[in-house]
Amino acid sequence: MDTEAALARRFVSETLQNPHNAALLGRLPFLGLPDVWLVAGCLFQTVWNLHSGLNPTAHIKDYDLFYFDASDLSEAAEQAVQARVTALFSDLPITVEAKNQARVHLWYERWFGYPYAPLQSARNGIERFLVPCTCVGLQPAADPGVEEPMLYAPYGLEELYAGLLRPNPACPHLPLFQAKAESYCGRWPWLTIRAGDMPA
């Protein structure tokens, strides 16, 4: 059984086998965004692709950036950031979406039908993905002398590598979880859904 530290090294190594992830992480500092992370699908789905013998970029619909800027919660400010992101990565054949985690609570219920308490950081947003094993993020190392990105995986990595999908008590929206988990299983059939773990 791999130790958590060994899994972390393996995870970082495998996610960087996706050249788009490597390019995004390499350019993130040029955006100058506060508390910015490359998160979620483009990371764990790269790992699942490698586990499945697929190309690292297979089945990945988009690449998500989280940042946290409480100084301006307007939609216009977020759209301006998105325009900068789109321009910076325009040479890559992917869709990159940037979301200010300081304003998620302003639109989440309108879109998804559930209330959403305000977040305090981008890491806090990573913690609330519907499936715990998908709660992962990478950001460039703060020290210029360190090449390996910093990993945030609040619930560890064992369930990610085991392919175990269960609801996240920090975001207990079971219908949304079920739809997301079934979508994942459609692309990676070896995954296992364990919806019974949801607290009453």
Side-chain angles (χ1 to χ4, degrees):
M1 178 69 69
D2 287 337
T3 65
E4 193 63 31
L7 276 181
R9 289 191 296 271
R10 177 182 173 188
F11 177 82
V12 171
S13 174
E14 291 182 351
T15 56
L16 294 180
Q17 291 183 46
N18 180 334
H20 305 319
N21 288 337
L24 290 167
L25 285 165
R27 298 183 204 176
L28 275 191
F30 295 110
L31 290 169
L33 293 173
D35 194 18
V36 64
W37 295 79
L38 179 63
V39 303
C42 62
L43 302 177
F44 66 81
Q45 291 173 15
T46 295
V47 170
W48 289 348
N49 282 335
L50 293 172
H51 180 90
S52 305
L54 300 171
N55 185 290
T57 64
H59 303 310
I60 298 177
K61 297 177 179 178
D62 51 38
Y63 291 69
D64 294 314
L65 303 180
F66 278 7
Y67 67 99
F68 192 89
D69 184 1
S71 68
D72 190 338
L73 300 185
S74 69
E75 184 176 358
E78 188 176 66
Q79 289 175 342
V81 168
Q82 179 63 54
R84 289 169 52 211
V85 166
T86 300
L88 181 61
F89 301 115
S90 61
D91 61 309
L92 301 178
I94 58 174
T95 298
V96 184
E97 297 187 350
K99 293 296 183 186
N100 183 3
Q101 297 302 287
R103 66 181 304 272
V104 175
H105 64 284
L106 300 177
W107 54 262
Y108 189 96
E109 185 170 7
R110 183 171 71 254
W111 278 94
F112 295 112
Y114 293 90
Y116 197 90
L119 299 167
Q120 306 305 315
S121 67
R123 287 188 182 204
N124 198 193
I126 293 170
E127 293 162 5
R128 288 204 212 163
F129 289 134
L130 292 163
V131 186
C133 77
T134 69
C135 296
V136 289
L138 291 176
Q139 71 175 188
D143 184 345
V146 178
E147 293 186 4
E148 186 166 291
M150 182 165 59
L151 166 65
Y152 185 57
Y155 309 117
L157 297 167
E158 287 190 7
E159 292 186 358
L160 186 154
Y161 278 97
L164 177 60
L165 311 179
R166 62 181 178 83
N168 187 352
C171 193
H173 307 154
L174 194 53
L176 299 181
F177 161 81
Q178 196 70 34
K180 181 76 71 174
E182 289 174 1
S183 171
Y184 292 155
C185 287
R187 286 175 275 171
W188 298 277
W190 58 273
L191 300 174
T192 301
I193 299 175
R194 201 166 75 191
D197 286 357
M198 175 64 76

